[in-house]
Amino acid sequence: MSENALTRRGFLATSAGVLSAAALSGYVGFEAWERAYADDADEKNGTVSVVHSLCNGCSNKCGFAGYVVDGRLHKMIGDEAHPTGKGKLCARGYAYANIAYDKDRLTDPLKKNERGEFEAITWEEAFEEIGAQVKDILADKGPSALAIVEDPRPSGDYYSRRFMNALGSANIYTHAAACNLSCRSGAFLAIGANEWSSDIAHSKMTMFIGRSYADGIRPAQITAMQNGFDAGAHIVIVDPRYSNSQRFADEWVPIKPGTDLALVLAMSNVIVSEERYDTAFIEAYGEGFEEYAATVREYTPEWAASKTGIDAVTIRRLALEMADAAPACSIVAGWRGPSGCQYKNSGELGRAVALFNALLGTYGAKGGSKISAKFAAGKLDAGKFPSVPKPEVKQVGADEYPLARTNMGSALAAAKAAHEGKLSGMFFYNCNMVGGYANPAYLSEAVESLPLSVCIDVQMSETAMACQYVLPDTSYLERDEVPAFNGGSTPSVSLRSKVIEVVHPNTKPCDEIFTGLAKACGVGQYFEFTVQELAQAQLASVGVDYEAAKRIGTVGVPQAAPKASAVLTWGTPSGKVMFANQKCVDAGLTAAPSWIEPEVMPYGNELRLIEAKQPIHSHTMTANNEFLMSLTHRYDLTRAWISVKTAESLGVSEGDEIEISNTQHTGRIRAHVTNRIVDSAIYLPSAYGRNVKDQHTADGVGLCPADFVKFQIEPAYGSAMSHEACVTVKKVGA
């Protein structure tokens, strides 16, 4: 039994099956959670049904079987067939199920009155008023004046895009600008794919830069990481923090935040200078290698040592160890973590990492880098599901941030346009742009300045508070959705099915909300179908029966598997790995990745402020969950991390209250003094510091890292620069 096993067992039927206490000294193994939920005793005296569905606790959407007893969710068991869960669920997955019964649920459509207070209105009023304003905007300003920001979930993503395109607008943005836009856009420029994954279970060496599987949990990835480590893989974590993933790794390389690009350029220098690259791979698939090689020759390990705080000997050793392990090796790029993303140079880091893996010929190799094949629904009956005309206008931000992937877009560019009066209406679905992206004060002003603003969500949020209309979504447990198509070597489809009946009768599922909005806006002809009809048609297009999918949750589609080929293909314009890219030159960068200084660096006694996930929270989305927050309070997880050396210089001891300050914000929090962080940084978890009075569990708990960040957008790529902030720290009362 794990030393971190839960201390209390049981599934609380009255709270949708979420634990009240757990031992969380760092990472909690999945087996511990499963043991806590293994008791079936309460099922004996009730009517039990089993429904297969998808979790909504984060973007992984892991499959589960929900055991419903007398109409209430009693237990959740992970579905073995689901590709990201592989039969496991995490703390967030179990706890977030309580959202259906949460006391802070939105229950009625709301409209802000002249006093700035929300009042309940009917759905008919909401649709009619919003529709009338949309029509006025279209007539006066055109479709480019309308935008939506959404956090992709199966139905939400489909309906929001269809809705905006039906209005003629290309302004569709995901949460990626606050998460992985830089990483994915940089990768796409290099290899024509948004991302890759490490075949870590079979690798000889894998390096993680700013990515922690054990903090941003995808169960299948953690299992693969554990398997690789147990099999003897050399796993290296490059991070300013000693993260929870370190339990699956054998080396921690502490790095100054914002300097990951310097490390990768120097490692590339070693591979090129010592001619340890895969010549055959580059000759077969590469383009622009000579220009790339000339560029990286400038960045020696000695040069990088002064930037990164990692000595030149270590940099050279890591590069040569990767070469020795090739092609069964790879670097895994970071998402929203303390390194890897949200700096001025993060897009170029994503490109540099993708090209480093190409240098060693890791793509497609066992133990190397895996580019997942995409899988999507086939053509549908055009009579029943008519195609929406392609917008004739550009996405706002496309010219200013040309390297951003258009299917993600820069939500920050949209916010800037709203702040400058260039947008007239914005919709928000299942996302908290104001509270969770960068500089809530600026973003709140941007939304409040809009003539029309609509938020669709299950709870009040900072974004909802800034909007004029708030429309209550059902929880994910209360609705059917369109299928999620899972790509890769073994394609499958997963279905989110309705687990329980609607708890609050005046809430609506997102498909009905967007359909109602579309009809009110005059484009209802594109929504003359139910979500069940759409799901059935999409599944049928790939040869899957709808009722069968409902019965088992995830269905394999082997006929859609990519055909084996000895020749790799690349989704770039040239069909090659682009070691040098003219598009980057056109955007004001260099053809091959080169060093870009972070926007700010600590000066004098300043510390770099970094943020990252905790394994029990999905940023702001789960902060108001009373069961997860009980763990936060029990283990004092809001604390700011500072190093022992830094604490000594400040006269700070473990648990002391400290004041963190810069020109943007000042806040107080308890200190956690540790050797698990570099001396030049201070860490705050990303979930806390909520400022929503209707979130009775989360309001006022901890500090919000975004409060300390200026509103800044990464040049060319369009991401939030949410780690470009330095602060001073002092002991309260000193």
Side-chain angles (χ1 to χ4, degrees):
M1 187 173 184
S2 167
E3 63 181 7
N4 293 319
L6 303 180
T7 59
R8 185 181 301 175
R9 301 185 61 188
F11 216 83
L12 306 182
T14 58
S15 61
V18 188
L19 75 158
S20 61
L24 197 75
S25 54
Y27 170 76
V28 173
F30 295 109
E31 291 77 11
W33 292 103
E34 289 173 341
R35 281 190 290 271
Y37 292 85
D39 189 359
D40 296 339
D42 291 342
E43 296 178 10
K44 296 178 181 178
N45 299 316
T47 302
V48 181
S49 61
V50 180
V51 182
H52 291 267
S53 195
L54 301 176
C55 178
N56 208 49
C58 74
S59 59
N60 293 325
K61 304 181 291 290
C62 296
F64 69 90
Y67 289 73
V68 181
V69 181
D70 295 336
R72 294 184 70 89
L73 181 62
H74 174 69
K75 181 172 66 179
M76 302 163 70
I77 301 294
D79 275 339
E80 290 283 350
H82 195 272
T84 61
K86 295 288 188 183
K88 307 292 185 183
L89 293 173
C90 69
R92 297 170 300 173
Y94 290 121
Y96 195 66
N98 192 63
I99 189 68
Y101 305 105
D102 195 279
K103 62 180 181 295
D104 290 337
R105 279 280 305 274
L106 292 166
T107 59
D108 298 280
L110 302 173
K111 178 185 178 181
K112 194 173 287 181
N113 61 27
E114 294 179 353
R115 300 185 302 277
E117 301 169 341
F118 284 109
E119 295 179 344
I121 59 174
T122 67
W123 280 104
E124 291 75 15
E125 290 171 327
F127 288 147
E128 182 180 353
E129 292 179 16
I130 295 168
Q133 291 188 61
V134 167
K135 289 176 180 178
D136 288 344
I137 292 170
L138 290 173
D140 185 36
K141 300 292 183 64
S144 291
L146 294 167
I148 191 168
V149 184
E150 52 103 6
D151 186 357
R153 299 294 190 268
S155 283
D157 190 46
Y158 176 91
Y159 278 89
S160 62
R161 291 179 181 275
R162 191 173 181 86
F163 172 63
M164 295 305 297
N165 286 165
L167 297 176
S169 175
N171 296 331
I172 303 162
Y173 307 91
T174 72
H175 72 297
C179 184
N180 56 11
L181 179 62
S182 290
C183 173
R184 290 190 167 183
S185 297
F188 192 83
L189 289 164
I191 61 175
N194 286 341
E195 64 176 331
W196 64 91
S197 59
S198 167
D199 184 15
I200 191 170
H202 304 103
S203 74
K204 294 179 181 178
M205 183 174 178
T206 301
M207 177 183 289
F208 291 84
I209 293 183
R211 187 80 181 272
S212 177
Y213 281 177
D215 290 293
I217 294 175
R218 181 172 289 179
Q221 288 180 333
I222 295 178
T223 300
M225 191 175 185
Q226 177 74 68
N227 292 340
F229 181 69
D230 291 343
H234 180 30
I235 299 178
V236 181
I237 307 293
V238 179
D239 202 303
R241 293 189 311 142
Y242 188 98
S243 72
N244 286 319
S245 288
Q246 202 62 47
R247 67 165 45 218
F248 306 113
D250 56 356
E251 184 173 3
W252 174 41
V253 181
I255 188 170
K256 291 180 181 178
T259 67
D260 309 81
L261 177 59
L263 171 64
V264 178
L265 290 173
M267 290 175 63
S268 304
N269 168 283
V270 174
I271 300 300
V272 170
S273 299
E274 301 199 15
E275 298 185 352
R276 296 296 303 276
Y277 49 85
D278 189 327
T279 303
F281 183 95
I282 292 169
E283 289 179 351
Y285 302 117
E287 180 180 283
F289 176 73
E290 292 304 320
E291 186 170 3
Y292 167 86
T295 300
V296 299
R297 284 194 179 97
E298 301 176 18
Y299 301 112
T300 65
E302 289 73 21
W303 166 86
S306 64
K307 299 287 186 183
T308 63
I310 306 168
D311 63 86
V313 173
T314 298
I315 295 173
R316 185 170 282 103
R317 171 180 62 80
L318 290 170
L320 294 176
E321 286 177 348
M322 290 287 277
D324 290 340
C329 66
S330 65
I331 297 179
V332 178
W335 286 11
R336 185 173 178 174
S339 62
C341 270
Q342 279 66 60
Y343 297 93
K344 189 177 182 178
N345 56 27
S346 292
E348 290 298 87
L349 171 64
R351 192 159 63 114
V353 170
L355 293 174
F356 181 88
N357 289 339
L359 274 181
L360 298 179
T362 71
Y363 294 107
K366 184 177 181 180
S369 307
K370 300 187 295 184
I371 300 175
S372 296
K374 300 298 182 182
F375 180 44
K379 290 186 177 181
L380 306 183
D381 178 5
K384 183 69 173 178
F385 310 99
S387 297
V388 179
K390 185 178 180 180
E392 297 178 356
V393 292
K394 279 187 178 181
Q395 187 182 66
V396 168
D399 290 334
E400 192 172 359
Y401 307 101
L403 303 186
R405 296 283 291 123
T406 54
N407 65 334
M408 301 174 178
S410 173
L412 275 295
K416 180 182 176 195
H419 204 276
E420 296 171 350
K422 298 175 182 177
L423 286 179
S424 298
M426 288 188 74
F427 295 82
F428 303 90
Y429 176 68
N430 191 48
C431 73
N432 186 15
M433 185 185 79
V434 171
Y437 286 20
N439 197 290
Y442 180 97
L443 293 172
S444 181
E445 287 177 2
V447 177
E448 289 174 347
S449 69
L450 289 162
L452 173 65
S453 51
V454 181
C455 182
I456 305 166
D457 215 325
V458 292
Q459 288 188 336
M460 191 64 70
S461 66
E462 286 90 346
T463 300
M465 288 175 59
C467 286
Q468 298 165 327
Y469 295 91
V470 180
L471 307 181
D473 195 12
T474 58
S475 75
Y476 73 100
L477 295 170
E478 303 166 84
R479 62 177 182 250
D480 292 324
E481 294 202 26
V482 299
F485 288 80
N486 313 309
S489 58
T490 55
S492 62
V493 289
S494 301
L495 198 60
R496 175 172 287 153
S497 295
K498 185 176 183 178
V499 178
I500 59 174
E501 294 301 316
V502 173
V503 175
H504 299 287
N506 209 25
T507 60
K508 290 182 181 290
C510 61
D511 58 283
E512 293 183 16
I513 294 174
F514 281 109
T515 297
L517 288 170
K519 291 179 178 179
C521 295
V523 291
Q525 69 269 29
Y526 297 109
F527 294 84
E528 297 294 341
F529 49 82
T530 66
V531 70
Q532 292 84 6
E533 290 171 334
L534 176 59
Q536 184 173 356
Q538 288 188 338
L539 289 170
S541 74
V542 296
V544 174
D545 180 72
Y546 179 61
E547 293 302 324
K550 287 182 72 71
R551 286 195 302 273
I552 62 176
T554 295
V555 181
V557 189
Q559 64 270 28
K563 293 182 173 62
S565 174
V567 180
L568 299 173
T569 59
W570 312 94
T572 58
S574 67
K576 298 281 189 176
V577 174
M578 301 190 69
F579 285 93
N581 197 314
Q582 181 61 39
K583 189 173 181 180
C584 296
V585 177
D586 297 340
L589 303 173
T590 53
S594 58
W595 173 245
I596 298 172
E597 289 282 349
E599 182 71 13
V600 299
M601 292 296 286
Y603 178 78
N605 64 346
E606 290 181 330
L607 300 174
R608 166 83 69 179
L609 178 64
I610 59 177
E611 58 153 309
K613 278 185 178 180
Q614 292 176 333
I616 62 167
H617 284 298
S618 297
H619 300 300
T620 69
M621 190 175 78
T622 59
N624 200 50
N625 185 286
E626 60 181 301
F627 304 101
L628 295 177
M629 284 293 280
S630 72
L631 299 178
T632 292
H633 292 302
R634 180 171 178 177
Y635 300 103
D636 206 4
L637 299 180
T638 64
R639 293 172 297 171
W641 291 24
I642 56 175
S643 75
V644 172
K645 181 179 179 180
T646 299
E648 288 176 349
S649 70
L650 297 171
V652 172
S653 300
E654 174 71 19
D656 282 348
E657 189 177 25
I658 58 175
E659 183 178 275
I660 304 171
S661 180
N662 65 6
T663 57
Q664 300 299 306
H665 190 66
T666 297
R668 293 182 174 184
I669 200 72
R670 282 160 48 83
H672 175 47
V673 180
T674 176
N675 286 314
R676 293 175 59 179
I677 189 170
V678 298
D679 296 333
S680 60
I682 182 171
Y683 159 72
L684 285 174
S686 63
Y688 308 113
R690 309 278 49 85
N691 183 28
V692 185
K693 62 180 178 60
D694 289 328
Q695 289 193 3
H696 294 90
T697 298
D699 185 45
V701 177
L703 295 178
C704 175
D707 284 335
F708 296 88
V709 180
K710 293 181 180 179
F711 182 83
Q712 304 172 106
I713 306 177
E714 183 181 350
Y717 284 96
S719 278
M721 291 162 56
S722 54
H723 285 111
E724 293 286 12
C726 295
V727 297
T728 57
V729 178
K730 66 179 183 180
K731 180 179 177 179
V732 174

